[in-house]
Amino acid sequence: MDTANATKAAIGPIRRETLQHSAVAELRAMILAGELPPGSRVPEMQLCEQLGVSRTPLREALRILASENLVELRPHRGAVVTPIDPNEIAAIFEVMEALESLAAGLACRKGTEAEFAELDALHDQLVAHFQTGNRLAYSTVNRRVHAVIVGMARNPALETTYAGFAAQILRARSLANYDADRWQESLTEHEGFMTALRRRDAAAAGALLAEHSRQTAKAVLRALRGNGAGSGSGDAASGAA
Amino acid sequence: MDTANATKAAIGPIRRETLQHSAVAELRAMILAGELPPGSRVPEMQLCEQLGVSRTPLREALRILASENLVELRPHRGAVVTPIDPNEIAAIFEVMEALESLAAGLACRKGTEAEFAELDALHDQLVAHFQTGNRLAYSTVNRRVHAVIVGMARNPALETTYAGFAAQILRARSLANYDADRWQESLTEHEGFMTALRRRDAAAAGALLAEHSRQTAKAVLRALRGNGAGSGSGDAASGAA
DNA sequence: AATCATCATTTTGTATACAATCTGGCACAA
DNA sequence: TTGTGCCAGATTGTATACAAAATGATGATT
């Protein structure tokens, strides 16, 4: 059957993406880009004509996004883009700290030479973007560095969980441009755990990445709370960062 | 959340649960009970008449279960109950170890006296069930102990993530009755981390719960692989437990 | 004037009908 | 016999129509 498919595929790459799948991708992009701001209502019919699909695939897409915590579904009351609750973000960072530490340790033991080389290359880009002052490029490469480290852990469960939390944090960051001083600190911390990674020192790398995560959390949360951009109601928010 | 629901329910228990929601609950129960065995195909129409709902809510329910990794959806090819892949389970246990350790540490700092008392009571039940030889009751209480600890961490993100992984592990356990010797070991480990928890010793509790998780992983994976019940293809499975 | 009940509008939840795709088997030719 | 192309059945993806619930406004009553 490979030959049959190959023949057909060679002639025409049969468009084979379900509408719901592309709807999920598009909506997720919209939300992560801040196009649909946190807390905004998301009427189904409006999105239908916006995306050019009917309600059925759109609703299924919303269910998927709800499972990623990108939207909230209230029965009979519609969907809203999940508001950024500083307490939720603080909680996510608590878990992220553990995940990054785990990832770093596993990466030291399971990463390939090629991956370590890629990490080095990415880190060089990071330094370059810092010196150029290109903030957007820096944070893009920054995310990629962490993603590569997580990937090196050879753990799909970890990877999926990490990606979900990373998306939430990205959303939180986008609405609170955080401290400029933090930039220098961040790079210094990157230098630190990169050194540990180059030595394949699992314990040190884990500890340093955890510390990096903790400092990032502190900065993001300070920006979030200072900004007052969140829509959540504060509670036991103190002890988190 | 119980209190909020209780308030409304107290005035008028307007039993209005959407069909999709109850369909999710019922299907999830079926899957976790092993009624729908891992790997089995799940034709939509068959489930429709079995649950007495139409395809629309059922499909949305399947999407939700897919996001929990309880079913897999292949486009145009239907859904199957997610097969138990020992490598996947090993990966989940790796993450669980980190999560349990995190939870124990946080629980020591954030748990209330009432919760610690509840833990003690549950532990007593655990001992009783062990002495009685009631294995089913033991494992039920066992799960509850861990759930309470996780709940004491006051971290919704952690709680949700933990619950998802716990469900997967439960499924894996159900199809491989694991070692009887393990039972005694398990109880001993429970005694250990309970002692640490009573002292509110976050570091020790974290370490002991991580160790407990690691030992459980080893036993479950040995049973899984010995049984040959999984459908996955083996790879880099060795270093996990 | 304020409060409560009632109703119309709007939005979501569900069912069903139609279109596209996959699977398996059959006939036909080499 | 073996391989290929094609067709029929079954299953999924999508659209639309209908039912139920929530929201907001309107009017009556106190």
Short mmCIF file of all heavy atoms in Angstrom, two decimals, chain B residues 11-52:
data_model
loop_
_atom_site.label_atom_id
_atom_site.label_comp_id
_atom_site.label_asym_id
_atom_site.label_seq_id
_atom_site.Cartn_x
_atom_site.Cartn_y
_atom_site.Cartn_z
N ILE B 11 -29.72 24.93 47.69
CA ILE B 11 -30.96 25.65 47.36
C ILE B 11 -31.79 24.83 46.38
O ILE B 11 -32.93 24.50 46.63
CB ILE B 11 -30.62 27.03 46.76
CG1 ILE B 11 -29.89 27.86 47.82
CG2 ILE B 11 -31.89 27.73 46.32
CD1 ILE B 11 -29.42 29.18 47.31
N GLY B 12 -31.20 24.51 45.26
CA GLY B 12 -31.92 23.72 44.27
C GLY B 12 -30.98 22.83 43.51
O GLY B 12 -30.22 23.30 42.69
N PRO B 13 -31.00 21.54 43.82
CA PRO B 13 -30.06 20.64 43.15
C PRO B 13 -30.44 20.43 41.69
O PRO B 13 -30.79 19.34 41.28
CB PRO B 13 -30.16 19.34 43.95
CG PRO B 13 -31.38 19.47 44.80
CD PRO B 13 -31.89 20.87 44.72
N ILE B 14 -30.40 21.54 40.95
CA ILE B 14 -30.82 21.49 39.55
C ILE B 14 -29.92 20.53 38.79
O ILE B 14 -28.91 20.94 38.24
CB ILE B 14 -30.71 22.89 38.91
CG1 ILE B 14 -30.64 23.94 40.01
CG2 ILE B 14 -31.83 23.12 37.96
CD1 ILE B 14 -30.24 25.29 39.51
N ARG B 15 -30.28 19.30 38.74
CA ARG B 15 -29.39 18.33 38.12
C ARG B 15 -29.33 18.60 36.63
O ARG B 15 -30.09 18.06 35.86
CB ARG B 15 -29.90 16.91 38.38
CG ARG B 15 -29.78 16.53 39.83
CD ARG B 15 -29.05 15.23 40.02
NE ARG B 15 -28.14 14.89 38.96
CZ ARG B 15 -26.83 15.00 39.07
NH1 ARG B 15 -26.31 15.54 40.13
NH2 ARG B 15 -26.04 14.60 38.12
N ARG B 16 -28.41 19.47 36.26
CA ARG B 16 -28.25 19.74 34.85
C ARG B 16 -26.82 19.51 34.45
O ARG B 16 -26.03 20.42 34.41
CB ARG B 16 -28.68 21.16 34.53
CG ARG B 16 -30.03 21.18 33.88
CD ARG B 16 -30.32 22.51 33.27
NE ARG B 16 -30.03 23.60 34.20
CZ ARG B 16 -30.89 24.08 35.06
NH1 ARG B 16 -32.09 23.56 35.13
NH2 ARG B 16 -30.58 25.07 35.83
N GLU B 17 -26.49 18.32 34.18
CA GLU B 17 -25.16 18.00 33.72
C GLU B 17 -25.29 17.75 32.22
O GLU B 17 -26.17 17.02 31.79
CB GLU B 17 -24.67 16.75 34.43
CG GLU B 17 -23.17 16.72 34.60
CD GLU B 17 -22.73 15.47 35.34
OE1 GLU B 17 -23.24 14.39 35.00
OE2 GLU B 17 -21.90 15.58 36.25
N THR B 18 -24.41 18.35 31.47
CA THR B 18 -24.51 18.15 30.04
C THR B 18 -24.19 16.70 29.71
O THR B 18 -23.47 16.02 30.43
CB THR B 18 -23.53 19.07 29.29
OG1 THR B 18 -22.21 18.67 29.62
CG2 THR B 18 -23.74 20.52 29.67
N LEU B 19 -24.76 16.25 28.61
CA LEU B 19 -24.58 14.85 28.23
C LEU B 19 -23.12 14.53 27.98
O LEU B 19 -22.64 13.45 28.32
CB LEU B 19 -25.40 14.54 26.97
CG LEU B 19 -26.91 14.44 27.17
CD1 LEU B 19 -27.58 13.99 25.91
CD2 LEU B 19 -27.22 13.49 28.30
N GLN B 20 -22.44 15.48 27.37
CA GLN B 20 -21.04 15.22 27.07
C GLN B 20 -20.24 15.02 28.35
O GLN B 20 -19.34 14.19 28.40
CB GLN B 20 -20.44 16.35 26.24
CG GLN B 20 -20.04 17.55 27.06
CD GLN B 20 -19.37 18.60 26.22
OE1 GLN B 20 -18.24 18.97 26.45
NE2 GLN B 20 -20.11 19.10 25.25
N HIS B 21 -20.62 15.79 29.38
CA HIS B 21 -19.89 15.70 30.63
C HIS B 21 -20.09 14.32 31.27
O HIS B 21 -19.13 13.69 31.71
CB HIS B 21 -20.35 16.80 31.57
CG HIS B 21 -19.39 17.09 32.68
ND1 HIS B 21 -18.18 17.71 32.46
CD2 HIS B 21 -19.43 16.82 34.00
CE1 HIS B 21 -17.53 17.82 33.59
NE2 HIS B 21 -18.26 17.29 34.56
N SER B 22 -21.33 13.89 31.29
CA SER B 22 -21.58 12.57 31.88
C SER B 22 -21.01 11.47 30.99
O SER B 22 -20.57 10.43 31.49
CB SER B 22 -23.08 12.37 32.10
OG SER B 22 -23.80 12.70 30.95
N ALA B 23 -20.99 11.73 29.69
CA ALA B 23 -20.39 10.75 28.79
C ALA B 23 -18.90 10.62 29.08
O ALA B 23 -18.36 9.51 29.13
CB ALA B 23 -20.60 11.16 27.33
N VAL B 24 -18.24 11.75 29.30
CA VAL B 24 -16.82 11.72 29.66
C VAL B 24 -16.63 10.91 30.92
O VAL B 24 -15.79 10.01 30.98
CB VAL B 24 -16.27 13.15 29.87
CG1 VAL B 24 -14.92 13.09 30.55
CG2 VAL B 24 -16.17 13.89 28.56
N ALA B 25 -17.44 11.22 31.93
CA ALA B 25 -17.29 10.53 33.21
C ALA B 25 -17.48 9.03 33.05
O ALA B 25 -16.69 8.23 33.57
CB ALA B 25 -18.30 11.10 34.21
N GLU B 26 -18.51 8.66 32.30
CA GLU B 26 -18.82 7.25 32.16
C GLU B 26 -17.74 6.51 31.37
O GLU B 26 -17.28 5.43 31.76
CB GLU B 26 -20.18 7.09 31.46
CG GLU B 26 -20.83 5.76 31.75
CD GLU B 26 -22.35 5.92 31.85
OE1 GLU B 26 -22.82 7.06 32.01
OE2 GLU B 26 -23.05 4.91 31.75
N LEU B 27 -17.31 7.14 30.28
CA LEU B 27 -16.27 6.51 29.47
C LEU B 27 -14.97 6.39 30.26
O LEU B 27 -14.30 5.36 30.23
CB LEU B 27 -16.02 7.32 28.20
CG LEU B 27 -16.97 7.06 27.04
CD1 LEU B 27 -16.67 7.97 25.87
CD2 LEU B 27 -16.86 5.60 26.62
N ARG B 28 -14.65 7.44 30.98
CA ARG B 28 -13.41 7.41 31.76
C ARG B 28 -13.48 6.29 32.79
O ARG B 28 -12.52 5.54 32.98
CB ARG B 28 -13.20 8.74 32.45
CG ARG B 28 -11.93 8.76 33.29
CD ARG B 28 -11.49 10.18 33.60
NE ARG B 28 -12.61 11.09 33.83
CZ ARG B 28 -12.55 12.39 33.62
NH1 ARG B 28 -11.46 12.92 33.18
NH2 ARG B 28 -13.61 13.15 33.85
N ALA B 29 -14.64 6.17 33.42
CA ALA B 29 -14.80 5.09 34.40
C ALA B 29 -14.63 3.73 33.73
O ALA B 29 -13.95 2.85 34.25
CB ALA B 29 -16.17 5.20 35.07
N MET B 30 -15.27 3.58 32.56
CA MET B 30 -15.15 2.33 31.82
C MET B 30 -13.70 1.99 31.52
O MET B 30 -13.25 0.86 31.70
CB MET B 30 -15.90 2.43 30.48
CG MET B 30 -17.40 2.24 30.56
SD MET B 30 -18.09 2.27 28.90
CE MET B 30 -19.84 2.18 29.25
N ILE B 31 -12.97 3.01 31.07
CA ILE B 31 -11.58 2.76 30.68
C ILE B 31 -10.74 2.43 31.90
O ILE B 31 -9.96 1.48 31.90
CB ILE B 31 -11.01 4.00 29.95
CG1 ILE B 31 -11.73 4.18 28.60
CG2 ILE B 31 -9.52 3.85 29.74
CD1 ILE B 31 -11.34 5.44 27.87
N LEU B 32 -10.92 3.21 32.96
CA LEU B 32 -10.11 2.97 34.15
C LEU B 32 -10.46 1.64 34.80
O LEU B 32 -9.62 1.02 35.45
CB LEU B 32 -10.29 4.12 35.15
CG LEU B 32 -9.69 5.45 34.70
CD1 LEU B 32 -9.86 6.51 35.77
CD2 LEU B 32 -8.22 5.28 34.36
N ALA B 33 -11.71 1.20 34.64
CA ALA B 33 -12.10 -0.07 35.22
C ALA B 33 -11.63 -1.24 34.35
O ALA B 33 -11.82 -2.40 34.70
CB ALA B 33 -13.61 -0.13 35.39
N GLY B 34 -11.05 -0.92 33.22
CA GLY B 34 -10.59 -1.97 32.34
C GLY B 34 -11.70 -2.60 31.51
O GLY B 34 -11.50 -3.59 30.83
N GLU B 35 -12.88 -1.98 31.60
CA GLU B 35 -14.02 -2.50 30.85
C GLU B 35 -13.77 -2.37 29.35
O GLU B 35 -14.13 -3.25 28.56
CB GLU B 35 -15.27 -1.70 31.24
CG GLU B 35 -16.57 -2.45 31.19
CD GLU B 35 -17.62 -1.68 31.97
OE1 GLU B 35 -17.29 -1.16 33.07
OE2 GLU B 35 -18.74 -1.58 31.48
N LEU B 36 -13.16 -1.25 29.00
CA LEU B 36 -12.66 -1.08 27.64
C LEU B 36 -11.16 -1.28 27.70
O LEU B 36 -10.42 -0.40 28.11
CB LEU B 36 -12.99 0.33 27.11
CG LEU B 36 -14.47 0.70 27.02
CD1 LEU B 36 -14.63 2.16 26.63
CD2 LEU B 36 -15.16 -0.19 26.01
N PRO B 37 -10.70 -2.45 27.29
CA PRO B 37 -9.28 -2.75 27.47
C PRO B 37 -8.39 -1.91 26.57
O PRO B 37 -8.83 -1.48 25.50
CB PRO B 37 -9.20 -4.24 27.10
CG PRO B 37 -10.35 -4.46 26.19
CD PRO B 37 -11.43 -3.52 26.63
N PRO B 38 -7.17 -1.64 27.01
CA PRO B 38 -6.22 -0.88 26.22
C PRO B 38 -6.03 -1.50 24.84
O PRO B 38 -5.93 -2.72 24.71
CB PRO B 38 -4.92 -0.96 27.03
CG PRO B 38 -5.38 -1.20 28.42
CD PRO B 38 -6.63 -2.02 28.31
N GLY B 39 -6.02 -0.64 23.84
CA GLY B 39 -5.83 -1.11 22.48
C GLY B 39 -7.11 -1.42 21.74
O GLY B 39 -7.09 -1.56 20.52
N SER B 40 -8.22 -1.52 22.48
CA SER B 40 -9.47 -1.88 21.82
C SER B 40 -10.01 -0.70 21.04
O SER B 40 -9.89 0.45 21.45
CB SER B 40 -10.50 -2.32 22.85
OG SER B 40 -10.82 -1.26 23.72
N ARG B 41 -10.59 -1.00 19.90
CA ARG B 41 -11.17 0.04 19.09
C ARG B 41 -12.45 0.54 19.73
O ARG B 41 -13.14 -0.19 20.45
CB ARG B 41 -11.46 -0.47 17.68
CG ARG B 41 -10.19 -0.85 16.93
CD ARG B 41 -10.42 -0.70 15.45
NE ARG B 41 -11.07 0.57 15.16
CZ ARG B 41 -11.55 0.91 13.96
NH1 ARG B 41 -11.45 0.08 12.97
NH2 ARG B 41 -12.12 2.07 13.77
N VAL B 42 -12.78 1.79 19.45
CA VAL B 42 -13.96 2.41 20.07
C VAL B 42 -14.81 3.06 18.98
O VAL B 42 -14.72 4.25 18.75
CB VAL B 42 -13.53 3.47 21.10
CG1 VAL B 42 -14.74 4.01 21.81
CG2 VAL B 42 -12.56 2.88 22.10
N PRO B 43 -15.64 2.27 18.32
CA PRO B 43 -16.49 2.84 17.26
C PRO B 43 -17.51 3.79 17.89
O PRO B 43 -18.11 3.49 18.92
CB PRO B 43 -17.19 1.61 16.66
CG PRO B 43 -16.48 0.42 17.20
CD PRO B 43 -15.89 0.84 18.51
N GLU B 44 -17.70 4.91 17.24
CA GLU B 44 -18.57 5.94 17.80
C GLU B 44 -20.01 5.44 17.95
O GLU B 44 -20.61 5.56 19.03
CB GLU B 44 -18.55 7.18 16.92
CG GLU B 44 -17.21 7.88 16.92
CD GLU B 44 -17.21 9.07 15.99
OE1 GLU B 44 -18.25 9.34 15.34
OE2 GLU B 44 -16.17 9.75 15.91
N MET B 45 -20.55 4.90 16.88
CA MET B 45 -21.97 4.55 16.90
C MET B 45 -22.27 3.49 17.97
O MET B 45 -23.31 3.53 18.61
CB MET B 45 -22.40 4.04 15.53
CG MET B 45 -22.32 5.12 14.46
SD MET B 45 -23.42 4.80 13.09
CE MET B 45 -23.04 3.10 12.68
N GLN B 46 -21.35 2.59 18.15
CA GLN B 46 -21.56 1.57 19.17
C GLN B 46 -21.67 2.20 20.55
O GLN B 46 -22.58 1.89 21.33
CB GLN B 46 -20.40 0.59 19.14
CG GLN B 46 -20.49 -0.50 20.20
CD GLN B 46 -19.26 -1.40 20.18
OE1 GLN B 46 -18.80 -1.81 19.12
NE2 GLN B 46 -18.72 -1.68 21.36
N LEU B 47 -20.77 3.13 20.85
CA LEU B 47 -20.83 3.81 22.13
C LEU B 47 -22.07 4.68 22.25
O LEU B 47 -22.62 4.85 23.33
CB LEU B 47 -19.57 4.68 22.32
CG LEU B 47 -18.29 3.93 22.62
CD1 LEU B 47 -17.16 4.90 22.82
CD2 LEU B 47 -18.46 3.07 23.86
N CYS B 48 -22.52 5.21 21.13
CA CYS B 48 -23.71 6.06 21.15
C CYS B 48 -24.90 5.31 21.73
O CYS B 48 -25.56 5.77 22.66
CB CYS B 48 -24.04 6.53 19.74
SG CYS B 48 -23.00 7.88 19.18
N GLU B 49 -25.16 4.14 21.19
CA GLU B 49 -26.33 3.41 21.69
C GLU B 49 -26.06 2.82 23.07
O GLU B 49 -26.97 2.67 23.88
CB GLU B 49 -26.73 2.31 20.70
CG GLU B 49 -25.68 1.27 20.44
CD GLU B 49 -26.18 0.26 19.39
OE1 GLU B 49 -26.94 0.66 18.47
OE2 GLU B 49 -25.82 -0.93 19.51
N GLN B 50 -24.78 2.56 23.35
CA GLN B 50 -24.44 2.02 24.66
C GLN B 50 -24.67 3.06 25.75
O GLN B 50 -25.11 2.74 26.86
CB GLN B 50 -22.98 1.57 24.65
CG GLN B 50 -22.58 0.73 25.84
CD GLN B 50 -21.25 0.02 25.61
OE1 GLN B 50 -20.78 -0.05 24.47
NE2 GLN B 50 -20.66 -0.49 26.66
N LEU B 51 -24.35 4.33 25.45
CA LEU B 51 -24.52 5.40 26.43
C LEU B 51 -25.84 6.14 26.23
O LEU B 51 -26.20 6.97 27.07
CB LEU B 51 -23.35 6.38 26.35
CG LEU B 51 -21.98 5.79 26.67
CD1 LEU B 51 -20.92 6.88 26.58
CD2 LEU B 51 -21.97 5.15 28.04
N GLY B 52 -26.50 5.89 25.14
CA GLY B 52 -27.78 6.55 24.92
C GLY B 52 -27.66 8.02 24.57
O GLY B 52 -28.53 8.82 24.91
#
